[in-house]
Amino acid sequence: MNNSYLERARKVITDPQILSVVAAKRAKQLAAGGRPMIKCDSENLLDIALLEIAEGLLSYEFPEEADSEAPAAE
């Protein structure tokens, strides 16, 4: 893993746990045949995922919780 890619990705996704999950899921997509969205000198899939995050090409969102939008019971 390239530490400079990791540091750049940390500036975009500051929470280390979220960064880990997003990078791992993207690396898994790449391993399954997904096409990289960026050119990278490294063949390491995690490096490619981190660079995509660092360049702002990947994002994440939390799903809406169904309980918070449900109307109150009468």
Side-chain angles (χ1 to χ4, degrees), residues 6-57:
L6 177 59
E7 290 304 317
R8 288 176 59 191
R10 280 185 181 168
K11 292 177 183 175
V12 176
I13 300 177
T14 57
D15 187 314
Q17 292 175 334
I18 295 173
L19 176 59
S20 175
V21 170
V22 171
K25 284 188 175 193
R26 180 59 181 150
K28 187 175 180 180
Q29 289 174 348
L30 293 168
R35 295 184 59 151
M37 295 185 283
I38 196 163
K39 292 193 182 228
C40 182
D41 295 335
S42 176
E43 292 182 14
N44 184 324
L45 300 178
L46 189 54
D47 283 348
I48 296 169
L50 289 171
L51 190 55
E52 288 177 348
I53 293 168
E55 293 294 323
L57 298 173

Side-chain angles (χ1 to χ4, degrees), residues 50-73:
L50 289 171
L51 190 55
E52 288 177 348
I53 293 168
E55 293 294 323
L57 298 173
L58 286 180
S59 63
Y60 66 95
E61 61 183 45
F62 292 106
E64 294 291 326
E65 291 189 30
D67 294 337
S68 65
E69 294 183 15

